[in-house]
Amino acid sequence: MNFGTKAIHAGQHPDPTTGAIMTPIYQTSTYVQESPGKHKGYEYARTQNPTRDALQANLAALENGKHGICYASGLGATDAILKLFKPGDEIIASSDLYGGTYRIMVRVFQEFGLKFKFVGLDNPANLEAALSPDTKMVWIETPTNPLLRLVDMAAISAITKARGLMLVVDNTFASPYLQNPLDQGADIVMHSVTKYLGGHSDTVMGAIILNDDALADRLRFIQNACGAVPGPQDCFLVLRGTKTLHVRMQRHCENALKIARYLSEHPKVGQVNYPGLESHPQHELAKRQMRDFGGMVSFELKGDSLPEAVRVMESFKVFSLGESLGGVESLCTHPASMTHASIPKEEREKNGLKDTLIRLSVGIEDAEDLIEDLRQAIV
Ligand code: P1T
């Protein structure tokens, strides 16, 4: 089955009671049993819920994976993955990554004895150099948040497979429409479902997709034992969101490329980060690894003035200033004070994330209106 057909149908069947084409919102906390232990496969809604089952199957199909497991947020999914490890285990993560991912690693799990190294994994040789006998897992984002750098999944997975390490790919920025990390050697793909999968800025959710049965059992155990499950209404909203993922992503990509081109020719704009630009240092890798280049663009103004960057962000009329991304509406974010504020300034700057960086989540409005908004704001 092709992507669009899976997006609309996978995991969903007409309701057996009524024939309703849409999976019902099973808004229930428990399920009546005929006799102790004799039931229809559902006991308690933290453990199983039919609306959540449909979504989990849908997301697994979109990522070409066997198992899908949903959590109450993207960070809930990250939390579950980190709970697979023990004190003394080391995790190597890309140095350019979502601030909340850095925060849960350093401020929560490091306290429990896990060890973390943050390394520029856009060069796979840096991974070889960072490995130690304690390394158990490698965590990457590609494209990265917010600098839109790429990590070569095939090159990294060749290293992790040779050493028996787990490779986790946070596929939030690309979405399964643009790349499927499991097909490129990842063991686990993780999503902030809040973003492109939900697509309408109305839900917070996370997901993990994987093929390994034993690992899926362990993660399902953690999902139930630790309890960070999404509610059925949110699962319904995301099921509605994924039905249009392919169509939305096409427009996100088209609009973002137009905007990246406009910005890169603008006399007041400095560096523009977008993997679809020929000038992106990893454009060839992007063409090889991704089916298109996504809806996220980040840029700096010439002169590197923070007040000027703030003035531009305040001047937008169509782009709304706020955290998050991946919704149909365009958003603008100031990573240094918003999404990446939990990473110390020295760490941010070491990785090339300047206080003046502006991040755009390009929505699916008409490109001319978005470009006009940039034109009137960047003066
Ligand atoms: O917000 P939540 O659903 O918990 O997901 C966390 C998360 C994980 N991974 C990536 C790549 C992310 O971008 C996020 C959340 N990011 C934002 C809110 C943001 O504006 O970047």
Side-chain angles (χ1 to χ4, degrees):
M1 225 188 255
N2 291 302
F3 192 93
T5 313
K6 284 198 287 193
I8 293 167
H9 296 288
Q12 295 153 89
H13 312 282
D15 174 46
T17 318
T18 62
I21 191 159
M22 298 308 300
T23 305
I25 303 170
Y26 285 88
Q27 192 78 49
T28 186
S29 61
T30 193
Y31 308 88
V32 176
Q33 307 196 7
E34 222 175 281
S35 165
K38 199 165 167 210
H39 51 72
K40 298 181 165 58
Y42 293 91
E43 299 156 86
Y44 184 62
R46 174 167 23 77
T47 322
Q48 315 104 334
N49 178 286
T51 321
R52 193 172 90 212
D53 286 351
L55 176 61
Q56 292 180 151
N58 182 256
L59 297 182
L62 295 183
E63 280 292 11
N64 298 334
K66 200 165 159 196
H67 306 283
I69 312 174
C70 287
Y71 297 84
S73 67
L75 279 169
T78 302
D79 174 73
I81 296 170
L82 293 175
K83 283 173 177 154
L84 295 169
F85 299 94
K86 296 193 173 53
D89 288 349
E90 181 183 78
I91 288 151
I92 298 180
S94 9
S95 48
D96 185 28
L97 84 176
Y98 172 56
T101 307
Y102 175 90
R103 181 177 55 200
I104 192 174
M105 289 177 172
V106 171
R107 307 270 307 274
V108 180
F109 281 89
Q110 201 164 266
E111 302 280 308
F112 289 121
L114 267 60
K115 297 190 284 185
F116 295 92
K117 271 187 198 151
F118 297 92
V119 176
L121 295 179
D122 44 344
N123 178 2
N126 293 343
L127 175 59
E128 295 270 19
L131 291 170
S132 84
D134 293 335
T135 310
K136 294 286 178 339
M137 185 256 269
V138 175
W139 181 288
I140 61 176
E141 284 179 12
T142 181
T144 61
N145 181 1
L147 291 168
L148 285 309
R149 292 178 183 146
L150 263 69
V151 179
D152 185 334
M153 290 187 274
I156 296 284
S157 76
I159 301 171
T160 55
K161 280 199 191 322
R163 312 260 179 155
L165 308 177
M166 185 186 291
L167 175 61
V168 178
V169 177
D170 179 339
N171 201 23
T172 300
F173 262 39
S175 91
Y177 182 68
L178 300 183
Q179 65 187 19
N180 296 114
L182 297 179
D183 295 343
Q184 304 199 41
D187 299 292
I188 295 183
V189 51
M190 176 261 155
H191 278 281
S192 170
V193 175
T194 316
K195 313 294 166 20
Y196 289 106
L197 291 168
H200 296 76
S201 309
D202 51 12
T203 319
V204 172
M205 196 189 293
I208 291 172
I209 299 102
L210 72 166
N211 283 318
D212 186 273
D213 296 337
L215 196 54
D217 282 349
R218 178 71 190 159
L219 285 161
R220 277 201 200 91
F221 171 81
I222 293 171
Q223 181 196 41
N224 182 51
C226 300
V229 293
Q233 171 109 19
D234 283 350
C235 294
F236 174 87
L237 286 172
V238 176
L239 276 170
R240 188 160 74 164
T242 57
K243 284 184 195 296
T244 56
L245 179 64
H246 49 306
V247 185
R248 286 186 285 110
M249 287 312 297
Q250 285 162 15
R251 181 68 90 89
H252 282 297
C253 293
E254 264 173 49
N255 282 359
L257 182 60
K258 286 182 189 161
I259 282 175
R261 290 222 164 105
Y262 171 79
L263 288 171
S264 56
E265 283 161 14
H266 196 296
K268 297 233 156 145
V269 172
Q271 180 158 325
V272 180
N273 305 311
Y274 185 65
L277 289 177
E278 292 74 17
S279 59
H280 188 286
Q282 295 161 300
H283 181 59
E284 289 308 312
L285 172 61
K287 285 200 288 192
R288 200 162 72 232
Q289 183 165 280
M290 304 175 74
R291 291 184 275 269
D292 204 334
F293 307 110
M296 299 301 294
V297 179
S298 60
F299 69 100
E300 290 157 19
L301 297 171
K302 278 190 186 144
D304 221 18
S305 147
L306 183 57
E308 187 52 17
V310 169
R311 192 202 57 73
V312 166
M313 288 184 274
E314 287 171 350
S315 307
F316 287 130
K317 296 186 162 71
V318 182
F319 284 89
S320 303
L321 182 62
E323 303 201 21
S324 204
L325 59 115
V328 290
E329 60 287 299
S330 291
L331 282 180
C332 153
T333 300
H334 179 227
S337 71
M338 297 178 173
T339 51
H340 292 69
S342 49
I343 303 178
K345 188 174 161 74
E346 321 78 76
E347 282 294 310
R348 290 200 306 261
E349 288 183 349
K350 209 162 67 189
N351 301 329
L353 200 183
K354 291 190 192 161
D355 281 1
T356 47
L357 188 80
I358 298 174
R359 191 189 76 181
L360 302 177
S361 170
V362 179
I364 64 169
E365 300 95 337
D366 293 294
E368 307 78 70
D369 294 326
L370 298 176
I371 288 175
E372 182 48 38
D373 200 26
L374 293 164
R375 197 192 318 277
Q376 63 80 32
I378 308 172
V379 287

